[in-house]
Amino acid sequence: MARPRNIKISFIKTPSPFFTFLPVSPFTSLLNKFPYLRIHRPYSSSRPRSYLFVFFLLIVLSLLGLSLVRLVSVSQNPSPSFLTLLSPPPSHPPFASPSSKNHEPVVLSRSATMPLPAHPVSGNATAEEAEFWAQPDGEGYRPCLDFTIQYRKASAKISKEKQKFLVVVVLGGLNQQKIQIVDAVVIARILEAALVVPVLAVDQIWEDESEFSDRVVSSLPSNLNRGGVLILSGMYSKLSKNLPLDLQKLRCKVAFHALRFVSPIQELDDKFARRLWIKGPYIALHLRLEKDVWVRSGCLTGLGPEHDDIIRKIRESQPQLLTDRLNMTNTQRRLAGLCPLNALQVARLIKALGAPRTAQVYRAGGEPFGGAQALQGLVEEFPNVVTKEMLAREGELSPYINRSSAMAALDYIVSLRSDVFLPSNGGNMGSAMQGHRAYLGHRKFVKPNHRGIVGLLEDTSISEAEFSSIMKKMHRRHQGQPEKRTNERSSSRGVTAYPVPECMCRHGNRSLLRS
């Protein structure tokens, strides 16, 4: 049996086996152009099983940087789908996001999801409350997605061929899917291929009953005799964080313009956000308190021995679920800042930062392990806590019951349009929200200092006033201000979480966002 061939392409990091080829001659010559990526070619070039194609979504990215086309369902009785790629309209009036301090509004194209206007600070608010609701200074950064002439010419050439196709298998929850689809578009552009994308491969942790047909289903073209199909699975973190500037801009264009929630989700989210906004400013908290979070993190729940024992037994029976730092104890993890903040800790933090007791608090995330007990510390401190279930009117959530990805999509836009956002843990939702809120005008995003918070929370000698002063000082530069990706940590920072400076530039009296 012949030894497998190894091919290298720059930018993409791949374990093996990773690719399956159909007729591969068009790709072979192309892949040989890239000297740095190692790809494992299977021993057999047999066709993949036909059932894969039932789950695939055909995204014809005709220009891949010039325009991104709307996906259309071809099923006869389509159920609501959650994500779509669309092209911005050819001409439209600009929309403006709320002004950052001392700066003009950020002008965005209609294709970007727009934030609701920031609320003016009430005259009855204290100075502390006014500071809490104040938006960070955007420092003049505006979206700038101008592609080079060379990139545009290459894109025009690629759009005419459409002989090569890339198929990707997208795994995980909603925000993981989004990251992978963004990278899949970029990989397709690198390989000069059209993209065929499945929207979801169900993750057992999410217990999601959504089906591929609930989103968008299509098929590969029947005429493949002159072309090739490349099947790519296991999309986690395969594409380098550092790419040429045009490809970084393409990532931002897909993430912030082309990839959107479909109309039923978008419209319901708009209703939820406005029902909150009309009553005044609101905080969105993404609380990661689900059972799987405690299992995977190796941390204690803070709910007492009975609940901790349940988590310990699951973890012992399925040790592969523990994701990192296997040699650390629960206490070591907590003191190192590796554990999610629980509801009480989050309540103490936002109170210390100046949130008024009467503030509206939108709780995003799944059902917490421990139920009402897990949320008691938050609700006691901030009684106006609401969820999408509480905001919904009769029948509005019926189409999405037991569909975790749809519920996550509803959380996403309500959180995006909040006056203040804070995640209890990092993760994909936090990263997605950080970058998206920055791109829409640097809306306030509080990034908790887990390591600094935990030790102070346990220090009973510190007064509330002193704790508040320390928290404000600790988080003064972690509230959504512009933060450049290109520093010593750029290899671990994605451009969709840190859009400055590749996708956002400083402008004088105008902002640019060309298609």
Side-chain angles (χ1 to χ4, degrees):
M1 183 178 292
R3 294 176 60 85
R5 292 180 57 190
N6 288 319
I7 305 171
K8 294 181 179 180
I9 299 180
S10 56
F11 315 136
I12 309 173
K13 300 171 285 186
T14 61
S16 59
F18 196 65
F19 287 92
T20 301
F21 288 85
L22 275 122
V24 294
S25 56
F27 276 108
T28 303
S29 59
L30 177 63
L31 296 178
N32 285 328
K33 295 179 183 179
F34 301 90
Y36 304 113
L37 172 65
R38 181 175 293 275
I39 298 176
H40 179 275
R41 181 184 295 254
Y43 292 107
S44 169
S45 60
S46 61
R47 291 177 181 268
R49 290 167 292 186
S50 61
Y51 74 84
L52 284 174
F53 296 105
V54 177
F55 305 119
F56 291 156
L57 153 70
L58 178 62
I59 301 177
V60 182
L61 299 173
S62 59
L63 298 180
L64 285 174
L66 296 177
S67 67
L68 292 163
V69 301
R70 182 182 296 274
L71 298 178
V72 181
S73 174
V74 299
S75 74
Q76 294 180 348
N77 298 296
S79 299
S81 55
F82 309 137
L83 288 171
T84 187
L85 284 168
L86 52 84
S87 58
S91 63
H92 50 269
F95 278 65
S97 74
S99 300
S100 298
K101 184 172 59 178
N102 302 324
H103 290 285
E104 295 182 356
V106 179
V107 180
L108 297 169
S109 100
R110 188 188 295 273
S111 64
T113 300
M114 297 308 303
L116 293 170
H119 288 84
V121 178
S122 169
N124 296 326
T126 66
E128 185 180 42
E129 292 170 356
E131 181 182 359
F132 178 80
W133 294 119
Q135 296 300 311
D137 184 355
E139 300 176 13
Y141 281 100
R142 306 288 189 268
C144 55
L145 298 186
D146 290 4
F147 295 93
T148 63
I149 295 297
Q150 293 83 357
Y151 178 89
R152 290 171 177 266
K153 288 181 177 179
S155 295
K157 180 181 178 183
I158 293 169
S159 69
K160 295 178 181 179
E161 295 181 355
K162 296 179 185 142
Q163 294 182 1
K164 298 181 286 288
F165 297 89
L166 174 65
V167 174
V168 301
V169 178
V170 180
L171 308 172
L174 182 75
N175 290 293
Q176 292 167 313
Q177 296 167 36
K178 182 178 179 181
I179 293 167
Q180 294 169 68
I181 291 173
V182 169
D183 280 357
V185 172
V186 178
I187 292 172
R189 178 58 175 77
I190 293 170
L191 298 178
E192 302 178 357
L195 186 61
V196 182
V197 186
V199 176
L200 174 66
V202 178
D203 187 320
Q204 63 176 347
I205 293 297
W206 282 74
E207 298 180 353
D208 198 333
E209 295 183 7
S210 305
E211 300 293 339
F212 287 92
S213 59
D214 289 331
R215 290 144 174 86
V216 182
V217 178
S218 189
S219 60
L220 287 167
S222 58
N223 180 17
L224 286 175
N225 56 340
R226 292 186 301 161
V229 177
L230 185 63
I231 298 177
L232 175 58
S233 64
M235 282 287 296
Y236 291 116
S237 303
K238 305 310 175 193
L239 195 60
S240 170
K241 298 291 191 297
N242 297 315
L243 295 176
L245 183 58
D246 282 324
L247 296 180
Q248 297 288 61
K249 289 178 182 292
L250 178 58
R251 272 175 159 160
C252 291
K253 187 164 187 177
V254 176
F256 303 135
H257 293 271
L259 192 59
R260 302 183 70 188
F261 299 112
V262 294
S263 295
I265 293 285
Q266 187 81 37
E267 291 167 4
L268 186 55
D269 261 327
D270 289 343
K271 293 177 182 177
F272 288 172
R274 290 182 184 278
R275 286 169 192 170
L276 283 167
W277 183 88
I278 199 169
K279 296 179 181 179
Y282 70 94
I283 313 163
L285 303 178
H286 187 231
L287 298 183
R288 295 305 316 275
L289 304 176
E290 301 92 335
K291 182 186 292 184
D292 75 282
V293 173
W294 298 117
V295 172
R296 291 177 181 272
S297 66
C299 299
L300 298 178
T301 64
L303 300 174
E306 181 180 351
H307 289 85
D308 289 336
D309 191 51
I310 293 172
I311 297 299
R312 179 185 57 79
K313 289 178 179 178
I314 297 174
R315 196 180 294 139
E316 289 176 354
S317 65
Q318 303 180 67
Q320 73 278 7
L321 295 180
L322 188 60
T323 54
D324 196 15
R325 314 288 180 96
L326 301 179
N327 60 334
M328 297 181 72
T329 65
N330 294 324
T331 301
Q332 289 172 330
R333 289 171 183 273
R334 179 170 48 80
L335 294 178
L338 300 176
C339 293
L341 298 179
N342 61 36
L344 175 60
Q345 292 169 331
V346 168
R348 288 199 63 191
L349 173 59
I350 61 175
K351 179 183 178 181
L353 294 177
R357 177 175 171 80
T358 56
Q360 296 183 100
V361 177
Y362 178 81
R363 179 179 68 81
E367 184 65 25
F369 176 62
Q373 181 184 348
L375 299 172
Q376 185 176 350
L378 175 65
V379 175
E380 287 180 351
E381 196 64 56
F382 296 93
N384 295 327
V385 175
V386 298
T387 63
K388 52 189 170 293
E389 291 82 4
M390 296 167 68
L391 290 172
R393 293 172 184 167
E394 185 175 359
E396 286 183 330
L397 285 179
S398 298
Y400 312 114
I401 299 300
N402 296 325
R403 298 174 185 270
S404 299
S405 292
M407 292 297 191
L410 293 169
D411 278 339
Y412 188 92
I413 296 182
V414 179
S415 296
L416 182 63
R417 292 181 166 173
S418 64
D419 295 82
V420 179
F421 177 83
L422 184 147
S424 67
N425 198 26
N428 294 308
M429 173 70 163
S431 295
M433 198 59 56
Q434 175 181 330
H436 210 154
R437 290 177 70 88
Y439 192 81
L440 296 181
H442 289 96
R443 303 298 297 270
K444 193 162 191 175
F445 175 97
V446 180
K447 185 187 297 184
N449 183 331
H450 287 70
R451 182 180 296 183
I453 291 170
V454 171
L456 292 169
L457 286 170
E458 296 177 357
D459 189 344
T460 57
S461 66
I462 298 178
S463 67
E464 286 295 319
E466 187 178 2
F467 179 73
S468 177
S469 176
I470 294 172
M471 289 297 102
K472 289 176 181 176
K473 183 176 181 180
M474 183 182 293
H475 293 89
R476 193 173 305 279
R477 288 295 304 169
H478 300 282
Q479 299 192 32
Q481 298 93 334
E483 187 174 356
K484 290 186 177 181
R485 188 193 74 86
T486 51
N487 61 15
E488 67 278 2
R489 292 186 290 174
S490 61
S491 61
S492 63
R493 287 183 166 187
V495 70
T496 54
Y498 296 87
V500 176
E502 287 104 328
C503 300
M504 299 188 75
C505 316
R506 273 203 173 107
H507 296 287
N509 295 321
R510 64 188 182 93
S511 63
L512 293 176
L513 181 51
R514 294 188 203 159
S515 297

